[in-house]
Amino acid sequence: MSGILHIQRDVVPFADWGWKYLVDVDDETRGDLEEGEAKDFFIAPGYHNLRLHAGIFGSNQAKFFVDDGARVCFLCRPRFTGLLGLMRGIISVPWRTRWIALRPIGCRELEAAFPQ
């Protein structure tokens, strides 16, 4: 059987336009996310590591557990927005592994914030 990993990418003006975020589960690329997109990934039950990246820029590594038939939800977005988002070339090097903010979120809370 399998569990579901659901990831929602938030829309943030002036940040990451045109960049796809690659979704790595246990160091294996499972797909990508465009701005404003939500996707489900079917994964084996158990403990997993999740990381998102776009080129040299990436997220923190999130560790999570999913039961058989259960759903685990995450929200991602660029960590730097507005003027900082536009100046990414200047600030990118020190924060390149923290460019994408990735956090677990309750699936009901996510559905309320991003109605389909």
Side-chain angles (χ1 to χ4, degrees), residues 5 24-27 47-51 61-64:
L5 168 62
D24 290 352
V25 178
D26 300 327
D27 297 321
Y47 289 95
H48 297 279
N49 295 311
L50 172 64
R51 186 173 176 276
Q61 182 173 312
K63 297 176 186 269
F64 67 96

Side-chain angles (χ1 to χ4, degrees), residues 9-82:
R9 181 174 168 184
D10 200 1
V11 175
V12 178
F14 306 111
D16 292 350
W17 285 345
W19 287 19
K20 289 183 179 181
Y21 289 178
L22 297 178
V23 178
D24 290 352
V25 178
D26 300 327
D27 297 321
E28 178 184 329
T29 301
R30 301 291 299 268
D32 58 50
L33 284 170
E34 295 191 26
E35 194 173 35
E37 188 174 26
K39 280 191 180 174
D40 288 333
F41 300 92
F42 294 94
I43 57 175
Y47 289 95
H48 297 279
N49 295 311
L50 172 64
R51 186 173 176 276
L52 306 180
H53 60 94
I56 65 167
F57 302 103
S59 71
N60 52 303
Q61 182 173 312
K63 297 176 186 269
F64 67 96
F65 179 84
V66 64
D67 279 321
D68 187 25
R71 187 174 182 217
V72 175
C73 297
F74 283 86
L75 177 64
C76 66
R77 64 189 314 250
R79 186 175 304 277
F80 304 106
T81 61

Side-chain angles (χ1 to χ4, degrees), residues 69-101:
R71 187 174 182 217
V72 175
C73 297
F74 283 86
L75 177 64
C76 66
R77 64 189 314 250
R79 186 175 304 277
F80 304 106
T81 61
L83 184 58
L84 286 177
L86 291 174
M87 296 173 51
R88 95 173 111 215
I90 297 169
I91 64 170
S92 63
V93 175
W95 292 297
R96 70 178 190 198
T97 59
R98 295 182 298 167
W99 182 262
I100 301 168

